[in-house]
Amino acid sequence: MDRRRDPARGAKRRRWKIALGGAATLALLAAAGWSLLGEVRGREQPLLYYKVTQADLPISVTERGNLESQVETTIRCEVENVGYDRSGNNGTQIIYIVPNGQAVKEGDLLVELDSAPIRDLLDTQTLDYQQAVSEQIQGDAKYENQKTQNETTKAEAELKLRLAQIELKMYDDGNNGTYQLELEATERTIETAKNGILEAMANLALKTTEFDGIEKLFELGYRGKGDLDESRYAFMQAEDGLASATNTLETALAERRKLEQYDYQVQKLTLEGAVASAQRALDQVLVDNVSLLAQAKATLDAADQRLAKEEERLDLLKNQLQHCKIFAPHDGMAVYADQDRRNSEIAEGTFVRERQSLLTLPDLSKMQVQTAVHESVLNQVEPNQTVSVRVDAFPDRVYRGVIESVAVLPDSSNWSSSDIKVYETVVRIEEEVEQLKPGMTAVVEIHVDRLRDVVSVPVQAIVQIEKDNWCYVQSERGVERRKLDLGRTNDKFVQIRTGLQPGEQVVLNPMDLIEKSESQRQIAPDAGAPDEAIAFGRPDNHEAAKQENAEQEDADEAEPAAAQVADPEPVESGSSDEESSGVISAG
């Protein structure tokens, strides 16, 4: 939401060039009031009087400013530059825009931009998005398959390692291990071989005895040649059997030595190597699994990112398509944006850039006043103070307002002038309004304070000489000069702390008195005793003025009406009717 601030800065400068603050402001306002009586200064005029009263004195600050909307939305082109005009400048063409200055309701179509280029891009992007969806599905399936494959290869490697460890443990077990069983089998073979030797030796001894006996019987002739040969053959077989048993024992002993010295070490190293290889295979599988899974994850992430980008681009184009039609966010009046060197004219058929302002939509039912306050009264103005607002176009209507904000720094447009410092102030009108337009001139009356039961007189009755303030008071001896101690002022009336009492009458046109004094060399604010009484004017004129004032005493008995703060210009108390009556009322 953007708010335009366009105060009447020229009016500020003219206004604050006469506002010096404090007592200096009072003197200028008094002089401005007296200037209204200038039309009658070329001739003898009766003195105008005001009867001093004691009543409430409202303190307020009056400023002028310009109306603007509280809610002013800037409508911008949110469509990317996808088209080109005849000059080659990129942008988007306006095919419809609401007429400038037309009142619109919430939801009304304000602007329609050409959507054909975006629709073409949207069709292409839809295909790219579908392709990205397919790649994402494939990447996700590959990733899940890789996780399953990793679990399988890991389980296989762990099984191989476990089996190798069991083989090693089974071989090296001192009680029931494979090596122990082989060693025991070899020992049994050795025992068998030893038994075989004993049996062969016994058999050889038997055969030897038989052969010796048959050989002696053969020599005696009791046995034949065949018996001797058969006995010799049996003896030889017994010898062979002993030799075979001896060889078997030696072989068994050699096998045991081989088993103990070589086979055990070879087999153990082999099994330990198998365990180590299985462990390395498992480690490699784990590393490969991490790598393969990371590759699959990277592929999946790339597919996800591409899908996200394609989806984002698709959503962007859909939003761009929606931005081609701009509807009113609230009720208001369509105002075309100002044209500059960068921006083309706002009209149907022209091309506009992205982020270019097309129009503003102020809500005319909620208005505020952009004004400024002078530094001399800045300490009296603060947020949430009540304000009365009058619009020049509707002078009979008063709107309720409240101060929304007061700038911390002075208006930068006035920094070049060292004697003028004003602070931008925003006054919010609290009620809904009708028929008010942005830029209308308004007068704000900021209600600062209200002094209760004080003595006050119109500011035009005060004369300031250097640092002293004076007024002229009617007395029995005529008109006398009196020094005053002033208090606060509301630009029309000023508080009198000391110097006047209720019921006394002060001269409202003291400049006529001073000018006559100068011409007659009889009185001046800076000459003579303060209590010196001097009569001025022709007696008939003076008495006529007193008579006219007496006719207004009933009206003067009433308390001064609440002084309405106006722009620091001469108060309109010197109208022709009031001059003829010789009295200016407090209201």
Side-chain angles (χ1 to χ4, degrees), residues 309-335:
K309 289 295 183 181
E310 297 297 340
E311 185 176 10
E312 179 182 357
R313 180 61 179 169
L314 182 64
D315 293 340
L316 177 62
L317 290 175
K318 290 180 179 179
N319 291 333
Q320 292 285 299
L321 187 61
Q322 294 179 353
H323 291 326
C324 288
K325 289 186 177 182
I326 305 175
F327 300 92
H330 54 77
D331 296 350
M333 181 179 67
V335 180

Side-chain angles (χ1 to χ4, degrees), residues 51 503 505 546 548-558 583:
K51 187 176 182 179
Q505 295 206 20
K546 292 178 64 178
E548 291 173 351
N549 286 337
E551 294 176 357
Q552 298 294 327
E553 286 187 357
D554 293 339
D556 293 340
E557 291 293 339
V583 177

